[in-house]
Amino acid sequence: MLHLRLIVPADRTDDVVRTVEKTVGTTHLVVLPGVARVPAGDVVLVDVAREAGDTLLAELRALGLDNDGSIAVENIDLSLSRRADEAEEEAPGEGADAVLWEHLTEATHEESTLSVTFLAFLVLATMIAACGVVLDNAILIVGAMAVGPEFGPLAGLSTALVQRAPRLAARSLIALVVGFVVAMALTTGFGVLMDAFGLFHKDMLERARPNTDFIWKPDMFSFVVALLAGVAGTLSLTSAKSGALVGVAISVTTVPAAANAAVALGYGDIDQMWGSTEQLLLNLAGIVVAGTLTLLAQKFLWARQHGRALRRP
């Protein structure tokens, strides 16, 4: 269940209440006249089944509440109410399958912002991966994948393509391009410094590396894995079950490929640098393609199966 807290201009309260009452899956409706101060208006509280949430949010925005009032949404972890159980049963579909497009757009907007924190995580992940590729250590590679924050902008780009949001697309692309350029540049310097201290050596990069040589030898399996990871990651973001996102992070070689390219550049190994760069671009493209297609499929299927059933007679 979702809990909505609405600040409504007084002249629109009746319209909002009617909209809520006509939406299947709503319950616990409370109207508090005149209690809101900034902005001034009435406060309306209501619980709604997750599978009915996106339709209700769209209709509330159509009434202008996002401009003249406020729409706040919270997840309800526990609701001991027979009426809440009935509301969830009335709403068509399963809550875990429902996509809250407003929440997805907002979440990916935040995750795809180029910030100091985003850069720090990406740089640290790339440097950890650099140690992993030089030492041929799969544990370090997995750790670097888990630390890397790059799935946020990738999900943002997919969302922007489906929602036709050019600003989100531009923000996501800037975060990806600038983030990887900065991370690879600093990791190249990191590799040179480690070499100066005798911790890295060119022979360590060019020797046989059975655990990590796949990072700079892209093939069709790399693209297939990226597609599967893109689907899984998108589903984890759009559904109520988000535990799969960490598994997605450690299933694609974006950060390790960037690290291998950076270290190879420092040693002048052009073959490994280009191979790693191809691996990086292949994975990025696969995730975006899969994420976009998954969102399009979810949007189509949900609208077809449930769109007409969310209105009370």
Side-chain angles (χ1 to χ4, degrees):
M1 295 288 288
L2 302 173
H3 178 69
L4 274 61
R5 186 184 71 248
L6 313 174
I7 296 180
V8 186
D11 61 344
R12 269 174 270 179
T13 300
D14 290 342
D15 292 335
V16 168
V17 171
R18 279 194 294 269
T19 298
V20 170
E21 290 177 336
K22 291 180 180 179
T23 301
V24 172
T26 58
T27 187
H28 303 153
L29 176 62
V30 178
V31 180
L32 304 173
V35 300
R37 292 293 180 265
V38 182
D42 303 333
V43 171
V44 176
L45 308 175
V46 63
D47 295 343
V48 58
R50 180 183 173 88
E51 48 269 45
D54 192 63
T55 297
L56 180 57
L57 289 174
E59 294 188 356
L60 293 174
R61 292 194 66 183
L63 292 173
L65 291 195
D66 54 329
N67 292 321
D68 303 324
S70 171
I71 304 173
V73 183
E74 300 174 340
N75 283 308
I76 300 177
D77 295 326
L78 177 64
S79 179
L80 302 178
S81 166
R82 181 179 60 82
R83 180 65 192 105
D85 295 337
E86 293 174 351
E88 290 186 320
E89 292 177 1
E90 291 173 359
E94 295 293 332
D97 297 332
V99 180
L100 296 177
W101 292 99
E102 298 293 342
H103 177 268
L104 178 62
T105 301
E106 183 66 22
T108 52
H109 181 277
E110 294 177 359
E111 294 294 328
S112 61
T113 300
L114 181 63
S115 63
V116 174
T117 301
F118 175 84
L119 283 175
F121 273 114
L122 190 56
V123 169
L124 290 172
T126 309
M127 289 181 177
I128 293 171
C131 296
V133 297
V134 171
L135 297 175
D136 194 33
N137 189 314
I139 296 177
L140 290 176
I141 295 297
V142 171
M145 291 176 176
V147 172
E150 73 280 4
F151 191 81
L154 292 171
L157 186 55
S158 296
T159 302
L161 293 174
V162 174
Q163 295 292 83
R164 299 179 183 179
R167 291 185 179 180
L168 178 58
R171 182 186 295 268
S172 301
L173 282 173
I174 290 172
L176 284 172
V177 174
V178 176
F180 274 109
V181 168
V182 171
M184 293 172 72
L186 292 178
T187 301
T188 299
F190 172 73
V192 173
L193 182 64
M194 294 289 280
D195 182 84
F197 282 106
L199 298 175
F200 282 8
H201 193 275
K202 187 176 183 180
D203 291 342
M204 299 173 70
L205 184 71
E206 295 182 343
R207 68 183 177 182
R209 290 184 288 140
N211 292 321
T212 58
D213 62 356
F214 68 93
I215 292 172
W216 63 280
K217 296 177 180 179
D219 53 26
M220 283 307 299
F221 279 108
S222 300
F223 189 68
V224 170
V225 171
L227 289 174
L228 296 175
V231 173
T234 302
L235 289 175
S236 72
L237 286 177
T238 57
S239 73
K241 302 180 183 297
S242 59
L245 193 55
V246 174
V248 172
I250 61 176
S251 63
V252 290
T253 55
T254 48
V255 165
N260 201 90
V263 175
L265 176 63
Y267 284 124
D269 190 331
I270 304 302
D271 288 340
Q272 282 207 42
M273 185 195 73
W274 282 116
S276 301
T277 302
E278 290 176 9
Q279 179 77 278
L280 172 62
L281 295 176
L282 196 65
N283 278 271
L284 294 177
I287 292 174
V288 171
V289 169
T292 302
L293 293 177
T294 301
L295 289 175
L296 287 172
Q298 287 180 291
K299 191 171 187 178
F300 173 77
L301 292 174
W302 189 260
R304 182 177 180 180
Q305 296 176 11
H306 304 278
R308 296 180 179 177
L310 292 174
R311 305 297 293 178
R312 288 194 177 106

